[in-house]
Amino acid sequence: MIRLPIGYYVEKAIDWLTYNLDSFFSMIKTILLAIINSFEFIFTGIPFIVMLLIFVIISWKVAGRNVAIFTAIGLVIIKSINLWQQTMSTFALVATATVIAIVIGIPLGIWMSFRDTVNSFVRPILDFMQTMPAFVYLIPAVYFFDLGPVPGAVATIIFAMPPIVRLTNLGIRQVAEDVIEASRAFGATSSQMLFKVQIPLAMPTILAGLNQTIMLSLSMVVISAMIGSGGLGDVVLRGITQMRVGLGFEGGLAVVILAMILDRITQSLGPKEK
Amino acid sequence: MYYLCYFTENNSIDAYEGNDRMVKLEVKNLYKIFGPNPSKILPLVKEGASKEEIQKRGHVVGVNNANFSVYEGEIFVIMGLSGSGKSTLIRCLNRLIEPTAGEIIVDGQNISGLGTKELTEFRRKKMSMVFQNFALLPHRNIEENVAFGLEIQGLSIEERLKIAYESLDMVGLSGYEKAMPSELSGGMQQRVGLARALATNPDILLMDEAFSALDPLIRKDMQDELITLHDKMRKTIIFITHDLDEALKVGDRIAIMKDGVIVQVGSSEEILENPSNDYVKEFTQDVNRAKVITAASIMKKADAIVYSRDGARVAVRKMRDNSISSVFVVDRERRLKGIITIDDALNLIKTNREDILEIIDTNVQTVSGDVSIQDLIPLFINSKYPVVVVDENQKMQGIIFKASVLAGLLGEDDTND
Ligand SMILES: Nc1ncnc2c1ncn2[C@@H]1O[C@H](COP(=O)(O)OP(=O)(O)OP(=O)(O)O)[C@@H](O)[C@H]1O
Ligand SMILES: [Mg+2]
């Protein structure tokens, strides 16, 4: 049997891209870096106690007392194991990836829901993004964006974006036909329909997608630390490479706490059932 | 400034009561064919190809050459069995479904020719719709649902809520403004649907099986409510149902559809009395005729009457001539005075008296012509005489025998023997 030289062509393509689209990639790099840095600047700039308060108030408002208590305890633990700085820098990376996933993913999902052709074209790409082992993204990401937080953010975005796209698409498609018909009968334009009917009704599903996206970006923390994105992933990585079980565990624990807080908050977002 | 003007549309009432009623909506040669290539199939349908033939080519005929006019201020009912094309037809009227061919003319304007912008405007201002499954927006509370049509027209929140409250008040749902749709019963949800449709103050209301999903009792309430509202506002309503009783109750005129074709259009009585074919007849068979047939339609001309100035001898002769044992007495304006029997009249003559007013029995049951047979039946229980149909001035129109009521109930035609 002949061997298809797929890997060879991928390498050639990447070389070509690096060479020819260099300015494009450096623009993306600048933008992403700016976003990550501003998030990090804000999150680490705010004193611990203020940040704690903000988190507790938000989680109380959104998810109730129990989650607020858990949030307070969790964040105090992180502070007490001296990982606050790293947690905030990981949070900045997650926030960046999430914001970008929302900005790209929701419109893409809406477009897919409107056009079956787009849907059938984008779906396999999403499958690819989600199931291709994340490590594989790292190499080209480093090619295009050097080491540091940017390639980590890019790999995270690629890996974490599919759920929000899929669930936006699904949510909009699931809006009941009779409600759409009623809105049309009352003379709603397509944008009124989208913003007053379809998106609000799809919101619970979209938020479920957002939740998954955030969780997936947190799962990329350690992997992206391998290409120098720092934060908690770096702590875990040091634990592994230096055989320091305690350090690795502490880093992992902080990731888990951050994940649980973000999960509980985003799960409770959206309209509450009465 | 936008405001509700439900009670200022009196001109439509005149148009409705008069003989030359104004046509509000006219449908001409309307076709809707579902399938990949409707325009190719259209000529076949026009030539009268069978349903199976069309189906073989992968198409379905939803509406087949519909022609009818709806008058301003009337309730026009479209009825037919499931799959006969009622929903398709009504959705062609506001182009939720795009007709394959034909014209829809509302106030002289051809709706089939409207561009996107004009069509949107038309849907916002001229026509609104009430749906079988209510189709309320589940994420909005009642007032926001009712105000929806006004919101997309760009009204300020104060204006649209004010109108929404008025609409809710009209359907008897004041106090539920902040409730969510899921908290209301089916009947209440449909009231919201009705309020939402009324809020934009449209000329024409489309109602697609609006009450079909409701329990029978609630459904009856809603029918009554609709009739009351219609009496107040005189909007033109196009109402779809597959229930003949409902059609007869709410409808001024009824169109019957079968396989996309309108097979008959007429008033309730025309449809019941002269079903144009077996399909219509089948529909009308199990209807409760007692509720529909009116006194006027089964009354007969009295064989003889006497005038109050006539003497007893004249009365006796008239009764003998017609072989009857009693006769109704009217005054010069044919206003009913009462009834006399032949025995009483003969007794009067024996004592050499003539004035029949001495022996007149005024205990005669009278009804107006639009009373249904159902309400006539009890009148016969307390009366041995026929019931007299009178107009608003007590003028005698005709009489009804017990036997005619029975005949009317059975749907037999005995009015011209
Ligand atoms: N989008 C569509 N595509 C293909 N066929 C359709 C479509 N919509 C309706 N039809 C067909 O057109 C015919 C008329 O359907 P329609 O829904 O108008 O009937 P209906 O009288 O409203 O019935 P029901 O009482 O069940 O509501 C049916 O044979 C139906 O299968
Ligand atoms: Mg229908």
Side-chain angles (χ1 to χ4, degrees):
Chain A
M1 215 176 136
I2 51 162
R3 187 191 187 285
L4 292 176
I6 293 176
Y8 173 78
Y9 286 118
V10 169
E11 275 172 29
K12 281 278 167 250
I14 297 212
D15 280 348
W16 186 87
L17 287 173
T18 336
Y19 188 75
N20 289 288
L21 294 179
D22 191 39
S23 55
F24 172 70
F25 288 123
S26 62
M27 186 186 76
I28 290 185
K29 185 178 169 182
T30 318
I31 294 171
L32 277 180
L33 204 56
I35 300 176
I36 298 169
N37 284 342
S38 10
F39 271 128
E40 197 163 350
F41 178 78
I42 297 168
F43 294 158
T44 52
I46 297 174
F48 167 72
I49 195 72
V50 179
M51 203 63 184
L52 177 74
L53 266 176
I54 294 174
F55 262 100
V56 169
I57 289 170
I58 290 177
S59 54
W60 191 310
K61 278 250 149 70
V62 176
R65 205 186 56 173
N66 290 348
V67 175
I69 293 172
F70 172 82
T71 303
I73 296 173
L75 292 183
V76 169
I77 292 175
I78 290 176
K79 178 73 180 167
S80 69
I81 53 179
N82 263 336
L83 289 179
W84 182 252
Q85 198 73 23
Q86 290 88 333
T87 303
M88 284 303 105
S89 109
T90 289
F91 185 43
L93 194 70
V94 168
T96 306
T98 306
V99 166
I100 303 232
I102 289 174
V103 168
I104 299 174
I106 291 185
L108 182 60
I110 292 170
W111 195 27
M112 282 168 76
S113 73
F114 286 163
R115 298 249 188 285
D116 283 338
T117 47
V118 178
N119 185 34
S120 46
F121 178 73
V122 174
R123 278 181 93 103
I125 299 179
L126 294 180
D127 292 337
F128 187 92
M129 285 161 67
Q130 219 172 359
T131 47
M132 187 58 120
F135 284 99
V136 180
Y137 300 140
L138 295 185
I139 311 155
V142 172
Y143 261 114
F144 297 144
F145 304 108
D146 303 334
L147 293 174
V150 173
V154 171
T156 304
I157 292 166
I158 293 175
F159 185 66
M161 193 168 66
I164 197 159
V165 181
R166 275 186 215 285
L167 286 162
T168 301
N169 177 24
L170 179 72
I172 299 233
R173 281 173 186 268
Q174 270 177 346
V175 174
E177 193 51 47
D178 62 346
V179 176
I180 301 288
E181 188 177 47
S183 318
R184 280 215 294 148
F186 281 97
T189 61
S190 25
S191 71
Q192 285 175 325
M193 180 97 74
L194 182 64
F195 290 109
K196 290 181 190 292
V197 180
Q198 291 169 303
I199 291 182
L201 283 175
M203 200 42 98
T205 314
I206 297 176
L207 287 173
L210 175 68
N211 176 275
Q212 287 185 23
T213 290
I214 293 176
M215 292 303 108
L216 284 183
S217 15
L218 272 163
S219 74
M220 284 288 286
V221 163
V222 177
I223 294 171
S224 54
M226 292 175 160
I227 46 173
S229 58
L232 289 174
D234 199 41
V235 178
V236 176
L237 217 52
R238 265 189 289 135
I240 298 170
T241 50
Q242 300 169 11
M243 299 292 276
R244 291 164 63 190
V245 181
L247 183 68
F249 183 82
E250 282 175 354
L253 181 67
V255 174
V256 170
I257 291 173
L258 183 62
M260 283 176 75
I261 293 172
L262 293 179
D263 178 59
R264 298 303 181 273
I265 292 178
T266 50
Q267 255 182 17
S268 315
L269 280 176
K272 274 167 220 59
E273 300 293 324
K274 281 194 188 167
Chain B
M1 176 68 197
Y2 188 100
Y3 61 96
L4 292 177
C5 49
Y6 296 130
F7 303 102
T8 60
E9 295 179 354
N10 285 325
N11 53 338
S12 65
I13 296 178
D14 299 339
Y16 174 76
E17 302 291 355
N19 281 331
D20 49 343
R21 299 196 278 177
M22 274 161 59
V23 171
K24 183 74 190 176
L25 178 149
E26 195 178 359
V27 169
K28 286 185 188 166
N29 309 326
L30 190 74
Y31 289 88
K32 175 63 194 182
I33 298 163
F34 294 106
N37 198 348
S39 46
K40 210 181 91 197
I41 298 293
L42 182 63
L44 283 176
V45 176
K46 283 186 174 171
E47 283 162 20
S50 75
K51 207 167 113 182
E52 290 70 30
E53 226 171 300
I54 304 298
Q55 225 144 35
K56 256 202 315 240
R57 290 162 192 264
H59 290 71
V60 177
V61 181
V63 176
N64 190 346
N65 197 17
N67 284 284
F68 59 88
S69 298
V70 178
Y71 298 118
E72 177 139 22
E74 79 171 332
I75 302 188
F76 186 83
V77 173
I78 301 172
M79 64 170 300
L81 296 175
S82 189
S84 56
K86 309 178 296 288
S87 298
T88 309
L89 175 59
I90 205 171
R91 278 167 178 70
C92 284
L93 302 183
N94 59 0
R95 283 177 52 195
L96 286 178
I97 292 179
E98 209 55 63
T100 307
E103 287 177 27
I104 297 142
I105 294 158
V106 175
D107 291 333
Q109 185 185 32
N110 188 356
I111 302 312
S112 8
L114 295 183
T116 316
K117 248 198 160 132
E118 300 146 292
L119 180 62
T120 301
E121 198 57 20
F122 172 79
R123 286 172 177 165
R124 288 178 177 181
K125 298 280 165 66
K126 280 271 170 101
M127 228 181 224
S128 64
M129 197 159 178
V130 184
F131 299 85
Q132 177 169 2
N133 297 315
F134 323 136
L136 301 178
L137 300 170
H139 63 296
R140 292 169 163 236
N141 67 19
I142 299 308
E143 63 183 28
E144 291 165 342
N145 261 288
V146 174
F148 180 74
L150 303 165
E151 181 181 335
I152 57 184
Q153 290 179 22
L155 262 70
S156 76
I157 185 144
E158 296 84 21
E159 282 176 298
R160 62 188 196 235
L161 285 186
K162 182 170 165 285
I163 297 168
Y165 288 156
E166 287 171 19
S167 268
L168 277 170
D169 188 41
M170 227 169 336
V171 299
L173 272 188
S174 290
Y176 289 93
E177 291 83 3
K178 302 284 187 241
M180 296 305 281
S182 57
E183 296 167 343
L184 302 189
S185 69
M188 286 157 99
Q189 288 190 39
Q190 194 56 301
R191 280 167 201 266
V192 178
L194 193 55
R196 175 176 67 176
L198 291 174
T200 57
N201 195 21
D203 290 0
I204 303 175
L205 213 56
L206 307 178
M207 304 181 74
D208 186 3
E209 305 222 18
F211 304 151
S212 298
L214 305 177
D215 297 338
L217 281 179
I218 302 193
R219 185 169 181 174
K220 197 181 153 295
D221 282 350
M222 291 298 285
Q223 293 164 354
D224 294 337
E225 183 106 12
L226 182 72
I227 293 169
T228 314
L229 280 172
H230 179 253
D231 284 344
K232 260 194 262 178
M233 309 187 313
R234 284 288 162 201
K235 293 211 178 294
T236 309
I237 299 178
I238 299 178
F239 188 99
I240 286 189
T241 178
H242 54 238
D243 175 17
L244 184 62
D245 279 327
E246 184 168 78
L248 295 170
K249 182 169 175 184
V250 303
D252 292 312
R253 286 188 312 136
I254 300 171
I256 296 194
M257 262 189 114
K258 186 197 179 199
D259 292 340
V261 179
I262 294 192
V263 290
Q264 187 172 10
V265 183
S267 70
S268 338
E269 295 196 354
E270 278 163 22
I271 301 248
L272 283 182
E273 298 293 317
N274 302 307
S276 70
N277 61 28
D278 288 347
Y279 178 79
V280 181
K281 206 176 229 163
E282 207 155 302
F283 252 119
T284 58
Q285 233 141 43
D286 52 25
V287 73
N288 190 348
R289 296 177 64 93
K291 283 191 274 186
V292 195
I293 306 288
T294 60
S297 70
I298 58 164
M299 71 182 181
K300 293 176 178 178
K301 208 164 146 303
D303 293 326
I305 48 169
V306 295
Y307 293 93
S308 44
R309 63 176 139 74
D310 290 343
R313 282 165 212 286
V314 179
V316 169
R317 204 184 60 235
K318 280 190 177 169
M319 283 187 262
R320 287 208 169 122
D321 287 353
N322 290 288
S323 347
I324 50 179
S325 60
S326 57
V327 68
F328 287 103
V329 181
V330 297
D331 68 7
R332 226 177 308 168
E333 273 83 44
R334 278 182 81 87
R335 281 190 297 241
L336 182 72
K337 287 290 166 200
I339 192 166
I340 55 172
T341 64
I342 193 159
D343 295 342
D344 289 345
L346 289 172
N347 284 335
L348 200 66
I349 295 167
K350 269 183 207 152
T351 58
N352 266 329
R353 282 178 293 172
E354 271 290 315
D355 188 359
I356 54 173
L357 290 180
E358 286 181 39
I359 54 164
I360 194 164
D361 183 354
T362 54
N363 189 19
V364 176
Q365 302 283 354
T366 60
V367 294
S368 70
D370 55 9
V371 167
S372 69
I373 312 190
Q374 177 165 279
D375 299 328
L376 273 178
I377 295 168
L379 300 181
F380 284 98
I381 294 168
N382 297 320
S383 169
K384 50 183 187 283
Y385 305 120
V387 170
V388 181
V389 180
V390 294
D391 68 6
E392 61 269 30
N393 301 319
Q394 291 299 115
K395 261 197 210 165
M396 186 163 164
Q397 307 284 302
I399 58 176
I400 299 172
F401 296 97
K402 215 181 266 181
S404 321
V405 176
L406 287 177
L409 281 177
L410 297 173
E412 286 158 11
D413 193 3
D414 75 340
T415 45
N416 43 6
D417 52 329

